[in-house]
Structure formats: structure tokens, C-alpha cells
Amino acid sequence: MIDRIIFATENPGKIREVKAILADLGLEVLSLKEAGLTTNVAETGDTFEANAILKVKAVAADDHTIVMADDSGLEVDALGKEPGVYSARYLGEDTSYRVKNQAIIDRLSEKTGLERSARFVCVIAALLPNGNILTARGTIEGVIGYEERGEGGFGYDPIFMVPELGRSTAELTAEEKNAISHRGRALTEMKEKLRGIL
Ligand code: ITT
């Protein structure tokens, strides 16, 4: 019987959101660290799907565990969808998000209104004990702000404005962000797929 999910991420912002969104599934959700595991996956794929699948395949689990992973990123249309799958590595993995966010704002200095369009994309992969892999994708559309706003979330949230709300995703509560985010949508679709299996 499947009774737990090991979520293969080293990103504390992701695991916080994932645990809240998956809470109603009734399974224990553990981060890699909590499961006493580490992995070192080279994210060599050029799509979010490919990288999410590489991440789950890198974890050896038992037959009562689903291994899940998230590959996600920010696509800025005026930058040819950069940073995309390279979002974590943009300007270097150890560069602060203050610097990364300002660099994106600066690169869009000539752009206004919808020319600043962008989206967050999230693909969730789930490796089942029988070896099957499921994937689910979610997106949220927005525009890049003119300055960082808000303290919530992580990563690029302070520059990602949700036009309908007039706030950045860093200015939303965790519940508000999870209800509309790329990650919330992808995990909700994944929960639907899993309900037929669990
Ligand atoms: P793991 O591979 O260990 O899960 P990671 O941070 O390296 O962690 P990714 O390769 O999927 O994960 O990179 C995703 C990056 O995209 C993340 O580091 C952020 O820069 C950005 N990102 C994704 N979702 C985001 C969100 O909800 N808010 C802000 N930035 C986000």
C-alpha cells in the first residue's frame, strides 16, 4: 500500500508550498532530507518535463512510496523565454535573487505593459512503485514588475506581478499563491491523477 511521498527537492521554498498543497491527499510527505536521502542530478534536459523525470529517477524508493519532483521556472517573453529551465542557474546558482531579479528588470527597461509578459511554469513528475511515471503541468501568466515587491514566496516572486490582483506573488499569502500558482495547478492536476490509483 502506498502511504508516503518523497518529494525530491533541495529548495526549501518549494517543499513548503508542496506540503501545503498535498496535505489533503492523506499521505505522509517527506523532503529528501527528511527521508535521509540526497541526490545529485545533472539537470541536462532542455524541457521542464525532461528535468522533472530525471529528478524522480535519481531516487531509489521502496514499494510503498511515490517519488515526486518539480521542475519549474520563469519564462519572460521579451527575453526569448529566458531564464526558463535555467531559472535556478541564471547568472550563477549562488547569485542572490536580489541581483537576478534586478538583472531581469534592467533587461526590460525599454518594455512597457504587455511587452513585459511572463509566466511561471511547473512540471511535476511522479514515479510510482510499479515504475510508471506520471507528469502534470501548471502555469500562471503575469508581467514583470518595475521593482521588487513583497517578502513572501521565494526566487523570482518579488518581480512577478499578477495583473488581476495588482500584486506580486511575493505579496500574496501562502494560501493565495498556492490557489493560483503554477505549482498549485500542476499539483492539483497530479492529485486528480493519483486519486484513481491510491
Ligand atoms: P530542486 O531542483 O532541488 O527542486 P531548484 O530550485 O534547483 O530546486 P529548479 O531547477 O526547478 O529547482 O529551478 C526552479 C527555479 O525557478 C527556482 O530556483 C526559482 O528561481 C524559479 N521558480 C520556480 N518556481 C518559483 C516560484 O513559485 N516563485 C519564484 N520563483 C520560482
Side-chain angles (χ1 to χ4, degrees):
M1 194 189 88
I2 295 169
D3 61 7
R4 65 175 192 168
I5 294 170
I6 294 178
F7 204 96
T9 180
E10 314 273 356
N11 181 323
K14 278 188 191 177
I15 195 74
R16 197 170 52 235
E17 294 181 4
V18 164
K19 283 192 177 191
I21 300 163
L22 293 181
D24 60 353
L25 210 48
L27 301 178
E28 186 183 18
V29 180
L30 299 172
S31 66
L32 273 182
K33 203 168 159 191
E34 288 163 342
L37 301 171
T38 52
T39 60
N40 191 5
V41 196
E43 293 178 29
T44 51
D46 52 16
T47 62
F48 296 109
E49 280 79 5
N51 283 328
I53 289 171
L54 284 172
K55 290 182 197 183
V56 290
K57 281 188 171 170
V59 179
D62 50 36
D63 63 3
H64 63 102
T65 302
I66 294 174
V67 179
M68 262 191 214
D70 162 313
D71 200 63
S72 49
L74 176 68
E75 293 182 346
V76 180
D77 291 321
L79 302 180
K81 299 200 175 178
E82 279 184 43
V85 291
Y86 300 105
S87 292
R89 289 164 278 175
Y90 180 59
L91 300 178
E93 192 102 34
D94 296 328
T95 302
S96 74
Y97 276 91
R98 179 131 301 177
V99 170
K100 295 189 200 222
N101 286 336
Q102 193 56 49
I104 290 178
I105 292 169
D106 292 346
R107 289 177 71 190
L108 294 187
S109 60
E110 307 289 308
K111 308 289 183 193
T112 58
L114 290 179
E115 293 175 327
R116 303 177 71 88
S117 64
R119 72 199 53 74
F120 277 128
V121 180
C122 173
V123 172
I124 300 291
L127 172 61
L128 307 182
N130 67 6
N132 287 352
I133 292 177
L134 308 176
T135 61
R137 172 182 266 256
T139 59
I140 176 174
E141 300 288 330
V143 293
I144 299 301
Y146 292 88
E147 60 191 3
E148 285 196 309
R149 284 175 56 169
E151 305 294 328
F154 65 98
Y156 298 99
D157 280 323
I159 59 166
F160 189 86
M161 299 295 299
V162 185
E164 304 81 57
L165 302 177
R167 284 184 281 162
S168 78
T169 42
E171 293 179 302
L172 305 180
T173 65
E175 293 73 25
E176 286 172 326
K177 182 182 170 191
N178 291 342
I180 59 169
S181 76
H182 51 315
R183 186 163 295 104
R185 289 176 175 155
L187 283 167
T188 298
E189 187 188 323
M190 181 58 77
K191 280 195 282 191
E192 290 303 316
K193 293 190 178 188
L194 289 176
R195 285 211 172 90
I197 289 162
L198 295 172

